[in-house]
Amino acid sequence: MKPEESLQELIGRIGLDAAELRERLRLLDWRHDDPPRLQQAADEASDAHQAFVDRLYEHLGHFPGPAALLSDPAGVTRLKHSQLDYYQRLWRGPYDRDYVLGRLRIGLIHQLAGVEPKWYLAGYRLYLDALHGALFAEHPRAALFASLLKAVFFDMTLAIDTYGAAQRRALEDSEARFARALRGANDGLWDWHLEHDRLYVSERWADMLELSRDALGEGCAAWFSRVHPDDLPGLRQAIDAHLGGRTALLHHEYRMRRRRGDYLWVLARGVVELDPQGQRRMAGSQTDISARKAVEQQLKHAARHDPLTGLANRLRLDELLQQTLQQLAKPGARQAALLFVDLDRFKLINDSLGHQSGDQVLVEVGRRLQQCLRPGDHLIRFGGDEFVVLLTDLASMGDAEQVAQRMLDGLHHPLHLGENTLVVSASIGVAGLRASADTAEALQAADLALYRAKQAGKAQFARYSQELQAAARRQLELESALGQALERDEFVLHYQPICQVDAGVPRLVGVEALLRWRHDGELIAPQEFIPSLEESGEILRVGDWVLREACRQVRAWQLAGQTRLRCAVNLSSRQLQQDDFVARLTDILMDSGLPPASLVLEITESQLMRDCTATLIALRELGSLGVRLALDDFGTGYSSLGYLKRFPLHILKVDKSFIDGADTESRAISRAIIGLGRSLGLEVVAEGVERDEQLDFLQHEDCRLAQGYWFSRPQPAAELQRLFGGDAGEDGLWRLLPADTTTHSRRENHR
Ligand code: C2E
Ligand code: MG
Ligand code: MG
């Protein structure tokens, strides 16, 4: 601060305005005749002044403090001169503003030089003593007055010291409190004079960075050069925002480099203010927030990783995928791929060895998969037994397939779990990433490829393709159209004859109703849509419709003369599981008028496996209604012969795969099933008869009933009648017409 500025500041601090000055003079009882009185006697005092100044300096010279300041003779001469000037002014006035300023200025200089107030007062006391002596030398009580002066001035030094000391103590107390608070807050302080670029930082500020305050430079470079390069732009923006008035406070977290080169997370808080000169100063604190940041980091890590395998989880995958897709959009980017890995039959491991073993398998699988990756690739546990691999920077998709193959090979090695040795396998879907895709699409593509790999027999990888996508889309479209098929009357039944073949010309004993869906001008086969109907539960309503329609049609044929015609209808397991199935069926039979004995319900082995007791009860009830039961596709499932005894079955249908097989094993199995049926008292129907020799074989084996393309493909009701003789024979059954009399000859039906 310049001297003139300090003086102004001092006047402000003392509060020396005109009123204060007036009051001071009044307190001293200063009257209008005081100045002229002094002025007139000024000359008279001048000799005394001369003598006194010498004496004063001589007296002070006896004390170590003043003596140290008065060691330079030239300086002492200058001081004596200005002292004399001062006494002149003291007597002559004028006692104006200039006078006051002069006194304050001298006071400031003396204070700076180290002149203590007690020396001041001693000087004045000596001065008054000297002048008293000069003016009233002959007065008899001059010595007394001098003694009084000494006593009074002694008291004055005590009073001034008391005030001073008390003020100093208050100041020290507040400073100590401030210092304690600072230590307690553990924060560093900074004060930045922007216009002059002067940065003051506290000891603690520097300490946090393991630096000493003296080693730091003066300007803000000492601060900014230590900010982490990634964080610097953000800090500058935050400061600009505050300086620009856009934020009420600077509040910013960033990293600072410590002496050893590592980084410390700090929080800087601050405000800008204008100083009395209108210049900007920003000041605030710096807090060490590294502990909090570490906890935050741990939480962030925990939220993004799977606790079992330590691998990244779906949340992290989402972030990684977004980053990768952004990078792919940049020019010159190499390819990236996503692998969806799903363990085959993992549920079996969990169910048979327990979840703990299952967990161990997952950890080991994660480890093996990780070994197949390069640094920069990512392995994610997607959930359960599903893993996702993100491969970046690939030259071609062939590389991704190689990784997939490596993973399959790596998993194939036996895995030892305590006493157990397992071999796990996985199916993998491989999909290339397109920059234009979003994360959900990318995952969906890999998932679709995975589905394909599973369908193709597991323990392999499949690559995503447009065709896969198209097939999936068609499936989806079909499924949504399927929901409305019943209302739109798009279902139709075709009927396939079941013929008696043991007595010369085959005769029609029954028909199997087979469901078709007319959609978009196509006739869709049941395998394509029945699984979705079963999944959605819609099979219940559709199944009811099939039963009702088949019973109605067959009853109509019965009334037209085919009195003994049987109606076979396929059932889905979900239909059998309905509590009121028997009641509904009874309704349908009553409505159609079809005798229960004319109805055959076809069920498969897998249906029998499910929920045995409930199924058994339902089947018994059906049996007691008089309805007959056929076991469809016999031989293709678990073929537990126990079922044949346990369930109330009437008919076995030999699956067409055995009839079709020309090899000796197939024939042996067919022969065995026919024999088994006969000995258990069950009727046997051979399915899928297409060729003469198959029919010859069946006839040779005494199999009474057969169905297949040799007789007829499944046909709409109206067409079927034309294959058979219009009149029922003597046994009430239609005979198959000779080939040349039918429009659709049998030969044409052959594949
Ligand atoms: P399924 O009950 O075993 O029906 C016999 C299947 O064999 C029919 O296929 C039939 O067209 C076919 N087939 C008959 N003769 C021959 C032949 O000589 N050679 C060959 N290669 N195949 C022959 P479709 O109509 O495609 O039905 C397939 C399966 O769909 C049926 O097998 C049945 O399990 C199921 N299904 C059909 N309709 C219904 C229905 O209304 N409800 C339920 N739940 N399932 C049905
Ligand atoms: Mg069937
Ligand atoms: Mg079958």
Side-chain angles (χ1 to χ4, degrees), residues 581-615:
F581 179 69
V582 177
R584 298 162 85 107
L585 183 71
T586 313
D587 262 7
I588 291 171
L589 286 171
M590 301 254 287
D591 289 352
S592 65
L594 189 77
S598 302
L599 182 64
V600 176
L601 295 179
E602 299 194 359
I603 54 177
T604 57
E605 283 171 289
S606 54
Q607 274 171 265
L608 292 186
M609 287 222 13
R610 241 167 288 186
D611 195 4
C612 276
T613 352
T615 311

Side-chain angles (χ1 to χ4, degrees), residues 250-387:
L250 168 71
H251 187 282
H252 196 72
E253 298 178 359
Y254 55 95
R255 286 161 295 175
M256 292 274 284
R257 198 178 63 254
R258 293 203 277 199
R259 191 169 53 84
R260 278 175 293 183
D262 58 329
Y263 282 90
L264 180 79
W265 271 104
V266 296
L267 162 67
R269 270 184 286 229
V271 274
V272 69
E273 264 176 13
L274 292 184
D275 69 8
Q277 283 71 47
Q279 297 186 328
R280 290 175 311 167
R281 285 172 79 143
M282 206 167 167
S285 63
Q286 168 177 283
T287 313
D288 175 353
I289 54 167
S290 50
R292 164 161 71 79
K293 280 286 173 185
V295 173
E296 275 176 15
Q297 213 70 42
Q298 275 167 10
L299 288 176
K300 197 175 161 193
H301 187 271
R304 280 161 181 70
H305 288 80
D306 162 45
L308 176 64
T309 58
L311 297 173
N313 65 11
R314 283 166 89 147
L315 194 65
R316 180 79 188 116
L317 171 64
D318 223 46
E319 292 173 354
L320 289 168
L321 261 179
Q322 268 168 21
Q323 282 168 18
T324 309
L325 291 174
Q326 275 166 15
Q327 275 156 10
L328 276 182
K330 290 183 186 155
R334 305 231 293 174
Q335 300 189 44
L338 208 59
L339 272 54
F340 216 123
V341 184
D342 185 290
L343 296 186
D344 298 327
R345 286 177 285 268
F346 180 68
K347 192 173 173 315
L348 201 64
I349 298 180
N350 258 343
D351 290 351
S352 54
L353 301 179
H355 284 268
Q356 222 167 0
S357 300
D359 284 356
Q360 279 175 281
V361 170
L362 289 173
V363 171
E364 175 60 14
V365 165
R367 202 185 59 79
R368 291 191 188 182
L369 295 179
Q370 188 79 63
Q371 280 177 343
C372 304
L373 302 180
R374 298 173 306 174
D377 294 338
H378 297 281
L379 177 62
I380 292 100
R381 177 157 180 227
F382 196 72
D385 61 341
E386 294 171 328
F387 296 82

Side-chain angles (χ1 to χ4, degrees), residues 512 570 602 604 631-634 653-656 687 707:
E512 177 175 2
N570 294 285
E602 299 194 359
T604 57
L631 193 54
D632 207 351
D633 305 338
F634 185 71
K653 295 188 82 173
V654 187
D655 190 68
K656 56 180 168 290
E687 289 185 302
Q707 74 184 93

Side-chain angles (χ1 to χ4, degrees), residues 239-537:
I239 291 176
D240 286 350
H242 179 57
L243 292 178
R246 293 190 295 283
T247 53
L249 210 73
L250 168 71
H251 187 282
H252 196 72
E253 298 178 359
Y254 55 95
R255 286 161 295 175
M256 292 274 284
R257 198 178 63 254
R258 293 203 277 199
R259 191 169 53 84
R260 278 175 293 183
D262 58 329
Y263 282 90
L264 180 79
W265 271 104
V266 296
L267 162 67
R269 270 184 286 229
V271 274
V272 69
E273 264 176 13
L274 292 184
D275 69 8
Q277 283 71 47
Q279 297 186 328
R280 290 175 311 167
R281 285 172 79 143
M282 206 167 167
S285 63
Q286 168 177 283
T287 313
D288 175 353
I289 54 167
S290 50
R292 164 161 71 79
K293 280 286 173 185
V295 173
E296 275 176 15
Q297 213 70 42
Q298 275 167 10
L299 288 176
K300 197 175 161 193
H301 187 271
R304 280 161 181 70
H305 288 80
D306 162 45
L308 176 64
T309 58
L311 297 173
N313 65 11
R314 283 166 89 147
L315 194 65
R316 180 79 188 116
L317 171 64
D318 223 46
E319 292 173 354
L320 289 168
L321 261 179
Q322 268 168 21
Q323 282 168 18
T324 309
L325 291 174
Q326 275 166 15
Q327 275 156 10
L328 276 182
K330 290 183 186 155
R334 305 231 293 174
Q335 300 189 44
L338 208 59
L339 272 54
F340 216 123
V341 184
D342 185 290
L343 296 186
D344 298 327
R345 286 177 285 268
F346 180 68
K347 192 173 173 315
L348 201 64
I349 298 180
N350 258 343
D351 290 351
S352 54
L353 301 179
H355 284 268
Q356 222 167 0
S357 300
D359 284 356
Q360 279 175 281
V361 170
L362 289 173
V363 171
E364 175 60 14
V365 165
R367 202 185 59 79
R368 291 191 188 182
L369 295 179
Q370 188 79 63
Q371 280 177 343
C372 304
L373 302 180
R374 298 173 306 174
D377 294 338
H378 297 281
L379 177 62
I380 292 100
R381 177 157 180 227
F382 196 72
D385 61 341
E386 294 171 328
F387 296 82
V388 167
V389 178
L390 177 61
L391 303 173
T392 54
D393 200 26
L394 296 173
S396 75
M397 284 307 291
D399 291 353
E401 291 180 9
Q402 268 177 19
V403 174
Q405 188 57 53
R406 265 209 308 277
M407 290 181 154
L408 292 176
D409 296 345
L411 288 181
H412 199 67
H413 296 294
L415 196 152
H416 305 286
L417 276 191
E419 291 165 6
N420 300 301
T421 300
L422 311 172
V423 176
V424 288
S425 72
S427 304
I428 304 180
V430 182
L433 285 181
R434 286 174 299 116
S436 57
D438 61 30
T439 56
E441 284 169 343
L443 275 170
Q444 210 180 18
D447 195 20
L448 197 60
L450 169 67
Y451 180 66
R452 176 91 198 85
K454 289 266 184 203
Q455 263 190 333
K458 306 184 175 165
Q460 54 189 289
F461 71 81
R463 192 169 155 182
Y464 168 84
S465 68
Q466 294 288 321
E467 294 75 55
L468 263 189
Q469 179 73 44
R473 189 167 305 135
R474 177 179 144 85
Q475 189 63 33
L476 200 69
E477 280 165 10
L478 277 185
E479 278 173 23
S480 64
L482 195 55
Q484 296 149 8
L486 196 58
E487 277 67 38
R488 292 187 178 166
D489 210 10
E490 290 177 347
F491 289 118
V492 270
L493 287 183
H494 282 192
Y495 296 88
Q496 187 176 38
I498 299 172
C499 297
Q500 188 178 327
V501 293
D502 59 348
V505 193
R507 279 175 302 177
L508 181 69
V509 291
V511 288
E512 177 175 2
L514 293 160
L515 184 60
R516 302 286 180 267
W517 176 23
R518 252 188 334 233
H519 174 63
D520 261 355
E522 267 184 89
L523 207 55
I524 302 177
Q527 266 102 345
E528 278 201 60
F529 62 86
I530 285 198
S532 332
L533 286 180
E534 284 181 333
E535 206 169 297
S536 65

